[in-house]
Each structure stands twice: as structure tokens, then as C-alpha cells.
Amino acid sequence: MSERTLVLVKPDGVQRGLAGEVIGRLERRGLQLVGLKLMRMDEALAARHYAEHVEKSFYPGLRDFMTSGPLVAAVFEGENAVRAVRQSMGATNPLDSPPGTIRGDLALDLGRNVVHGSDSAESGEREVALFFRPEELVGWTSDMAGWVRE
Ligand code: IDP
Ligand code: MG
């Protein structure tokens, strides 16, 4: 079943010039890009996006960080897109992320872990709808699809 996942290059990633690197790694894996923009997250969007974390002690720091500068929002689509992105991202704490993953290669700190990816297909649908209007998503046929998936 095809699914969609929201990827954010967080403000640390954009400030460090890693937006292309992060999006590029996911593209090179074969995931199909169907939405992309540079934007800022405001406090209201942070609270909706991180609804599961708003009551946690680390939330104020997370909110301040996520609203501190521009981020790149992307949508990738395909079979198992959620799982593939989470695997390519690595674990939440970069120190638990093996080399070869985005966080394992590019980050050191839990609060500066460069990238977000939806944690389930349901979260993907919910989060994509928070960041993109339907007309901002572009459905297209990849001429490489048959070389990526059997
Ligand atoms: P995820 O980004 O790997 O899905 P979540 O548990 O959903 O991880 O947490 C969202 C974000 O909140 C993390 O990426 C990280 O930046 C931050 N975070 C999570 N747990 C902590 C914590 O214990 N202290 C500080 N920041 C945290
Ligand atoms: Mg999460």
C-alpha cells in the first residue's frame, strides 16, 4: 500500500546547509518526492504537529527550536515510505543512530537532530495535511520506478 510521509529538515539542518543533503539521500534511495517547500513553523503549527509532546518537559525547548528559523518540508510517497524514511533517518538520539543514517552521520544531539519523519502512515496523512494544501502536492509518474521497485 502506497503511503505518504512528512519529512522536515529542521532549522538546524537548514542553518547548516544540509537541506539538499537530507532530501538528496531520500531521493537517491528511490523515494518519490511529491511536495517540497521552505517555510517557517509558528507556535500554533508546532503545537499541532507535536500534539503528542505538548505536555512533556522538553516541549518548550523543542517548540522554540522548531520555530527559530526556516525549515524545509517535504512529502515522500510510495510503498513503505514511512518505514524507509525512519530507517534512513536513524534513531531519535543521534548517538543511538548508526553511521550511514542521516542522524548518525550528521548530528550529535537529541535536541538538534536535523530531521523529522512521520512515525506511521496515519501520522503521515495527518502531518502532510498540516503542512501542505492538496494543490501543493504533485502526483507524477517516475520514469525510474521500474528500476527502483520490482
Ligand atoms: P522522532 O523525531 O524520532 O519521531 P519523538 O519522540 O517524536 O522523536 O520526539 C520529537 C522530537 O523531540 C525529537 O526528534 C527530538 O528533537 C525531540 N525530543 C524527543 N525527546 C526529547 C527529550 O527527551 N529531550 C529533548 N528533546 C527531545
Ligand atoms: Mg516523532
Side-chain angles (χ1 to χ4, degrees), residues 10 50 52-53 58 62 86 89 92 103 110-111 113 116:
K10 296 183 179 183
Y50 284 125
E52 63 175 322
H53 298 311
F58 64 79
L62 176 62
R86 294 288 290 192
M89 274 170 35
T92 304
R103 287 164 169 170
L110 177 58
N113 60 4
H116 165 85

Side-chain angles (χ1 to χ4, degrees), residues 10 46-63 66 86 92 103 110 113 116-117 119 123 126-127:
K10 296 183 179 183
R48 294 180 74 191
H49 175 65
Y50 284 125
E52 63 175 322
H53 298 311
V54 266
E55 301 301 331
K56 297 189 182 155
S57 59
F58 64 79
Y59 181 73
L62 176 62
R63 175 200 60 208
M66 291 298 293
R86 294 288 290 192
T92 304
R103 287 164 169 170
L110 177 58
N113 60 4
H116 165 85
D119 64 9
S123 299
R126 186 183 74 82
E127 294 174 0

Side-chain angles (χ1 to χ4, degrees), residues 20-31 88 100-103 105-106:
E21 168 80 24
V22 171
I23 301 299
R25 283 182 179 219
L26 299 172
E27 264 191 301
R28 291 201 298 275
R29 189 151 183 211
L31 291 160
S88 290
T101 63
I102 292 167
R103 287 164 169 170
D105 286 344
L106 304 175

Side-chain angles (χ1 to χ4, degrees), residues 3-5 82 86 117-125:
E3 58 194 23
R4 293 187 300 187
T5 184
V82 167
R86 294 288 290 192
S118 307
D119 64 9
S120 68
E122 299 69 42
S123 299
E125 287 309 308

Side-chain angles (χ1 to χ4, degrees), residues 25-78:
R25 283 182 179 219
L26 299 172
E27 264 191 301
R28 291 201 298 275
R29 189 151 183 211
L31 291 160
Q32 190 178 356
L33 189 61
V34 297
L36 184 66
K37 63 180 164 187
L38 181 77
M39 59 176 284
R40 277 186 89 126
M41 185 184 250
D42 62 17
E43 292 202 6
L45 180 57
R48 294 180 74 191
H49 175 65
Y50 284 125
E52 63 175 322
H53 298 311
V54 266
E55 301 301 331
K56 297 189 182 155
S57 59
F58 64 79
Y59 181 73
L62 176 62
R63 175 200 60 208
D64 291 351
F65 163 58
M66 291 298 293
T67 58
S68 67
L71 51 76
V72 169
V75 180
F76 286 95
E77 186 174 271

